[in-house]
Amino acid sequence: MADPLGDMDAETIRRHGHALVEWIATYLNDTERYPVLSRVEPGAIREALPATPPEHGTTFEEIFTDFERIILPGITHWNHPGFFAYFAISGSAPGVLAEFLTAALNVQAMLWRTSPAATELEEVTLGWLRQLLGLTSEFEGVIYDTASIASLHALAAARHAAVPDVGTNGLVGRTDLGPLTVYTSEHGHSSIDKAVMTLGLGHEALRKIPVDSNFRMRPESLAAAVAQDRANGGIPVAVVATVGTTSMTSIDPVPELANLCSNEGIWLHVDAAYAGAAALVPETAFVMDGCARADSLVVNPHKWLFTPFDLSAFYCRRMETVRAAFSLTPDYLQTPEAGQVKNLMDTGVQLGRRFRALKLWAVLRHFGTTGIRDRLAEHMRLARLFAGWIDTSRDFERLAPVPLSVVCFRAHPAGFEAGEGALDALNARLLDAINGSGDVFLSHTRIDGQQTLRLAIGHIRTTERHVARAWELLNEHLTRLVS
Ligand SMILES: Cc1ncc(COP(=O)(O)O)c(C=O)c1O
């Protein structure tokens, strides 16, 4: 009998756990029976749930019944092989199972002693990933939840390097400092905008550098902006290069940017959130060119390394600066082994840490480097295949190069002469129509002012059949819309 004041007893956990694992195994292998994009109306899930908390407890069966009845219809299935939106991500089965263990262990890895294995597995697993990325052991790693947070920490460290007393005196009312400036390309991710705002630099402190015809930051424009800011008494704090921009996966010329940063003494942070994974494939290992000279770099295994959300790997050659910016140990967190071990709480703003390394370890071990490499290479083959269909079609056109696994394109039917506004509207309607099919989900962006459709391949279960289905739907719906 369960203790009336205790938790579920072992027999009941076993029963529900087995049923849950059955459900998960079926789900992961058969996500296609659900529409990829949820079809619920706004507010529907909220209205189906009681507004007040339950007074008395209920069985897990009842909770699960409501999960299937109320929650599941409101799920957009990132596990669906027809998910081609944003950056398609994969929670592969070994990672999902490891997450189950992480939840059961409920480790809080703030200090080495609060779970030595969590700290040391993080170190070892990030060491493996570092080698796969081709970075030297000069780079120390730490896991954060997201790339946004990793870049925030990189820029906080850069700010600390530029203004060593910022932790003590802050920035408000300082007459001894010129304006602090951060640089990224006009296609840099919005997380960089948010980081400068969060760090008290103000949004105006972010200078968006123009790109070339392949959407890569222009080094000469960056050099001119830095020179101009210095001439005006400003302090260039950091350059954020993007390896795999969000819209079209362009890759900034990191070697040239690294030259400039080292000559100018500016922190170079590389946002390789999506594209860093491509370093594992010999044909695309060039994505990391120059990155070994960066001060810091972020790559998201939760984007394109088959690791369930969330897990972002941050690497830094100057982790002592990150620690200087963030370590602060109250008396009650002091431990006798301090100095001999790493305490994860010292490398960032948060105290508590999830035990995320377990799932990355499980994924890397289960698939092995070769298994991961082959899957990534297949995604890139599928992207090239789809791009080829676009390129030979009379009704579609490609709007950006396809260096990796994302294709940017739009419908532009032969003989359609109605102008850019009408083309934008046609593409928006086409996107809605195919996303309503339930079989695929694509997202959009704007490139050079044009409404652009994006097909992003990244799910572990996506095959040629799914990409072909997307192409079939695009053609079917376009014919219907223009006839
Ligand atoms: C280039 C780039 N950087 C950063 C991010 C933010 O990632 P996260 O959701 O892990 O914060 C994204 C998200 O897609 C991205 O494309």
Side-chain angles (χ1 to χ4, degrees), residues 87 145-149 151 189 191 242-246 271-274 298 300 302-303 309 312:
F87 282 122
D145 52 358
T146 57
S148 304
I149 295 301
S151 293
H189 190 258
S191 55
T242 315
V243 167
T245 54
T246 312
D271 176 355
Y274 154 73
V298 59
N300 272 358
H302 73 221
K303 273 193 167 47
F309 191 78
S312 184

Side-chain angles (χ1 to χ4, degrees), residues 27-314:
Y27 170 72
L28 289 180
N29 280 285
D30 191 20
T31 331
E32 285 178 72
R33 71 164 123 159
Y34 302 101
V36 53
L37 182 63
S38 170
R39 291 178 169 153
V40 295
E41 293 296 325
I45 305 295
R46 197 174 50 239
E47 279 158 27
L49 294 164
T52 52
E55 181 64 33
H56 299 289
T58 186
T59 62
F60 198 79
E61 270 107 350
E62 283 176 323
I63 298 169
F64 191 75
T65 301
D66 283 349
F67 164 78
E68 284 201 296
R69 186 173 65 86
I70 303 172
I71 308 298
L72 207 50
I75 295 297
T76 288
H77 292 280
W78 290 73
N79 280 313
H80 194 297
F83 191 108
F84 296 117
Y86 313 110
F87 282 122
I89 61 171
S90 280
S92 64
V96 172
L97 295 175
E99 274 284 54
F100 205 175
L101 279 177
T102 298
L105 293 171
N106 195 29
V107 155
Q108 204 280 53
M110 59 184 174
L111 295 165
W112 177 84
R113 67 162 46 193
T114 62
S115 266
T119 304
E120 295 186 14
L121 187 66
E122 179 161 326
E123 213 172 327
V124 171
T125 312
L126 287 187
W128 291 356
L129 181 60
R130 179 181 53 66
Q131 293 168 47
L132 296 176
L133 294 172
L135 296 174
T136 65
S137 57
E138 274 181 291
F139 283 85
E140 185 182 335
V142 64
I143 295 176
Y144 296 125
D145 52 358
T146 57
S148 304
I149 295 301
S151 293
L152 175 69
H153 282 86
L155 293 180
R159 184 185 64 162
H160 187 92
V163 184
D165 71 344
V166 67
T168 315
N169 297 321
L171 292 174
V172 177
R174 300 272 302 245
T175 50
D176 59 326
L177 298 173
L180 307 184
T181 311
V182 174
Y183 308 82
T184 194
S185 94
E186 51 187 304
H187 289 289
H189 190 258
S190 56
S191 55
I192 308 307
D193 300 62
K194 289 192 181 183
V196 297
M197 290 152 82
T198 308
L199 291 169
L201 307 183
H203 206 180
E204 289 288 307
L206 183 62
R207 292 196 62 171
K208 301 268 175 96
I209 305 300
V211 294
D212 64 18
S213 57
N214 283 329
F215 311 103
R216 299 149 37 100
M217 195 196 298
R218 288 179 182 277
E220 68 284 4
S221 303
L222 174 66
V226 168
Q228 187 190 40
D229 289 339
R230 285 218 197 275
N232 292 335
I235 304 177
V237 171
V239 171
V240 181
T242 315
V243 167
T245 54
T246 312
S247 284
M248 70 290 280
T249 72
S250 57
I251 296 154
D252 283 339
V254 180
E256 285 93 323
L257 304 181
N259 287 342
L260 184 115
C261 288
S262 80
N263 291 340
E264 294 278 344
I266 304 175
W267 187 290
L268 176 61
H269 174 61
V270 176
D271 176 355
Y274 154 73
L280 273 74
V281 179
E283 293 73 31
T284 48
F286 66 85
V287 296
M288 292 295 287
D289 285 355
C291 290
R293 294 171 59 208
D295 295 282
S296 56
L297 175 139
V298 59
V299 58
N300 272 358
H302 73 221
K303 273 193 167 47
W304 200 18
L305 275 179
F306 313 120
T307 306
F309 191 78
D310 52 6
L311 196 156
S312 184
F314 176 68

Side-chain angles (χ1 to χ4, degrees), residues 353-374:
R353 302 273 172 157
R354 293 186 66 222
F355 184 9
R356 293 191 179 88
L358 195 64
K359 58 186 168 184
L360 181 57
W361 184 59
V363 168
L364 294 177
R365 289 196 56 187
H366 181 76
F367 296 114
T369 307
T370 308
I372 293 176
R373 180 178 293 145
D374 292 349

Side-chain angles (χ1 to χ4, degrees), residues 377 379-389 402-404 407 457:
H379 290 173
M380 292 191 254
R381 183 189 76 81
L382 293 175
R384 285 193 302 272
L385 183 70
F386 184 83
W389 296 337
V402 181
L404 304 167
V407 185
I457 300 170

